[in-house]
Amino acid sequence: MESTSPGDREPEAIIIGAGPAGLWAAFQLGIHGVRSHLIDSQPRPGGQCAALYADKPVYDMPGFDAIDAGVLSDNLAHQLARFRPVYSLGDTVLAIDRHQGGLSATLASGQVVSAPFMVLATGLGPLGSDSKQPKIRLPDSVATDAGHVLVTAGDFETGCANLFAIGDAISYPGKLCLLVSACHEAALMAFAIRRRRAGEKRAVLEYSSTSTTLRAMFSS
Amino acid sequence: MESTSPGDREPEAIIIGAGPAGLWAAFQLGIHGVRSHLIDSQPRPGGQCAALYADKPVYDMPGFDAIDAGVLSDNLAHQLARFRPVYSLGDTVLAIDRHQGGLSATLASGQVVSAPFMVLATGLGPLGSDSKQPKIRLPDSVATDAGHVLVTAGDFETGCANLFAIGDAISYPGKLCLLVSACHEAALMAFAIRRRRAGEKRAVLEYSSTSTTLRAMFSS
């Protein structure tokens, strides 16, 4: 566990999709010292959740009797801000390729961004076959089933090394497209990337309420 | 999906443990029309979280920059209150047995409670071998590994039919003892119980932000 904020380093993870799942994924990576670069076709963080349902109350987030989807998105972006993520908003990912042991994303703007790790947090839209938006071209090694990305249980890695996927885009036994599930998936993904990055066989989970390292991180 | 609150019915699920995981499990079951009976050795809802860490801030709950563990517990109990759960507090579960197709729990007070479904949300304490509290005697068909209950991926059912387990007491590949994970596990468990109860092969997930049935439930 690193004690400094990742905000001064180059992004090590590219996250495709800056909806609630993507924002939370970047937050979880930040806890483990990994800075994220989020890419989304929407002009602001929050994804479809903020764009289409901003004023709709959500009743099944832990600790909130009700919270409007737009407020929840804003809260998640604010919670993440301490880790100083990079955003590319209003741009669309066309293709993902393997690149020097990591991954690269080619954007509609012509920009190509690369990093050691990448996380698909797109929702189903840009991966499904009947989407109105451009379908992202994935590496051949990514297995899909009916438009859903198949992932390894426990770390949410796709068939392509260092490419992970969480949220509504993925499928596994019992999968429900709920935000609490995406948050869980993001936590396990981030822990797996932390282990992979550090070459650790086994990492120790610390708690934000009791770890002196984590408490220092969040109180700074 | 039933449109009425489960608060007027007999509890159909007994939840062992009224910490955050147990409270959220009862809330998720309430969404599916199942009333819960929660049992905890602590004198108030919130479990160890409220008893030991009430004034400790938690930084990794979605949508909260920081929230004290005690406040989070209170929020979860408040969120659940609309489903009018039954509580047996300050009492300890000694044994769980199969009972008429469902399960029964024998309490230290001598009370025996039974229901079609039961959920272990105890944390590791009452199931581990080095615990200072009495170890709960489980049905023989419940498989454990190093004191952790083994569950089926996707529905979190133990080896004993209709006995489910979530949270820090369980083990599966990649398992992290995080509250967001317990919340995810509870959602899938509740969905599985809803299917089992209705004899449904396949149930349709509804969203609290868009389902007219769910919006009516929460706005009443």
Side-chain angles (χ1 to χ4, degrees):
Chain A
M1 181 65 53
E2 308 191 21
S3 59
T4 56
S5 169
D8 298 323
R9 294 193 285 277
E10 285 295 307
E12 291 177 83
I14 294 168
I15 300 180
I16 316 293
L23 294 169
W24 185 251
F27 175 78
Q28 285 288 330
L29 284 164
I31 289 179
H32 296 298
V34 176
R35 191 180 187 194
S36 291
H37 180 159
L38 297 106
I39 303 170
D40 200 291
S41 57
Q42 298 289 328
R44 47 167 287 193
Q48 300 289 328
C49 182
L52 300 180
Y53 309 112
D55 60 348
K56 290 269 171 58
V58 177
Y59 298 101
D60 60 349
M61 284 302 292
F64 295 100
D65 276 2
I67 181 169
D68 285 353
V71 175
L72 176 60
S73 294
D74 290 347
N75 283 11
L76 291 167
H78 188 267
Q79 200 168 357
L80 167 62
R82 71 164 54 246
F83 296 126
R84 296 172 53 195
V86 177
Y87 285 104
S88 291
L89 298 171
D91 208 345
T92 305
V93 176
L94 301 179
I96 295 168
D97 292 284
R98 302 187 62 112
H99 176 77
Q100 295 181 349
L103 285 306
S104 70
T106 303
L107 311 187
S109 63
Q111 192 186 5
V112 178
V113 295
S114 63
F117 301 101
M118 191 178 289
V119 183
L120 296 170
T122 55
L124 194 52
L127 301 176
S129 56
D130 57 353
S131 171
K132 291 186 178 62
Q133 53 193 120
K135 191 173 168 183
I136 298 174
R137 183 174 57 71
L138 299 171
D140 287 341
S141 52
V142 177
T144 59
D145 178 24
H148 291 83
V149 174
L150 301 181
V151 292
T152 311
D155 62 11
F156 298 93
E157 192 168 20
T158 70
C160 176
N162 299 325
L163 177 60
F164 295 76
I166 63 166
D168 295 3
I170 68 173
S171 183
Y172 57 80
K175 168 70 183 178
L176 295 178
C177 291
L178 293 172
L179 185 50
V180 290
S181 289
C183 291
H184 155 81
E185 294 153 11
L188 270 59
M189 170 278 298
F191 206 67
I193 286 180
R194 170 250 184 95
R195 282 195 309 263
R196 179 78 52 86
R197 177 169 169 269
E200 296 174 45
K201 288 222 190 305
R202 189 177 172 81
V204 177
L205 182 66
E206 297 183 88
Y207 292 95
S208 67
S209 54
T210 53
S211 159
T212 50
T213 311
L214 286 183
R215 292 197 74 173
M217 174 189 288
F218 283 104
S219 58
S220 64
Chain B
M1 181 62 58
E2 306 190 24
S3 59
T4 56
S5 169
D8 298 323
R9 292 194 286 277
E10 285 296 305
E12 290 177 84
I14 293 168
I15 300 180
I16 317 292
L23 294 170
W24 185 251
F27 174 77
Q28 285 287 332
L29 284 164
I31 289 179
H32 296 299
V34 176
R35 192 181 187 192
S36 291
H37 180 160
L38 297 106
I39 304 171
D40 200 291
S41 57
Q42 298 290 328
R44 48 166 286 193
Q48 301 287 328
C49 182
L52 300 178
Y53 308 111
D55 60 348
K56 288 271 171 54
V58 177
Y59 298 102
D60 61 348
M61 284 303 291
F64 296 101
D65 277 2
I67 182 169
D68 285 354
V71 175
L72 177 59
S73 294
D74 289 347
N75 284 10
L76 290 168
H78 188 268
Q79 199 167 357
L80 167 62
R82 71 164 56 247
F83 296 126
R84 296 172 53 194
V86 176
Y87 285 103
S88 291
L89 298 171
D91 208 344
T92 305
V93 175
L94 301 179
I96 294 168
D97 293 283
R98 302 186 61 113
H99 176 79
Q100 296 181 345
L103 286 307
S104 70
T106 303
L107 311 187
S109 62
Q111 192 186 5
V112 177
V113 294
S114 63
F117 301 101
M118 191 178 290
V119 182
L120 296 169
T122 55
L124 195 52
L127 300 176
S129 56
D130 58 353
S131 171
K132 292 188 177 61
Q133 50 194 122
K135 190 174 171 182
I136 298 174
R137 183 174 58 71
L138 299 172
D140 287 341
S141 52
V142 177
T144 59
D145 177 25
H148 291 84
V149 174
L150 301 180
V151 291
T152 311
D155 62 10
F156 300 94
E157 191 168 20
T158 71
C160 176
N162 298 326
L163 177 60
F164 295 76
I166 64 165
D168 295 3
I170 67 172
S171 184
Y172 57 81
K175 168 70 185 177
L176 295 178
C177 291
L178 293 171
L179 185 50
V180 289
S181 289
C183 291
H184 156 80
E185 294 153 10
L188 270 58
M189 169 278 297
F191 206 66
I193 286 180
R194 170 249 184 97
R195 282 195 309 265
R196 179 78 50 86
R197 176 169 170 269
E200 296 175 47
K201 288 223 188 307
R202 187 178 174 83
V204 176
L205 182 65
E206 296 183 89
Y207 292 94
S208 67
S209 54
T210 53
S211 159
T212 50
T213 310
L214 287 181
R215 293 196 74 173
M217 175 190 286
F218 283 106
S219 58
S220 66

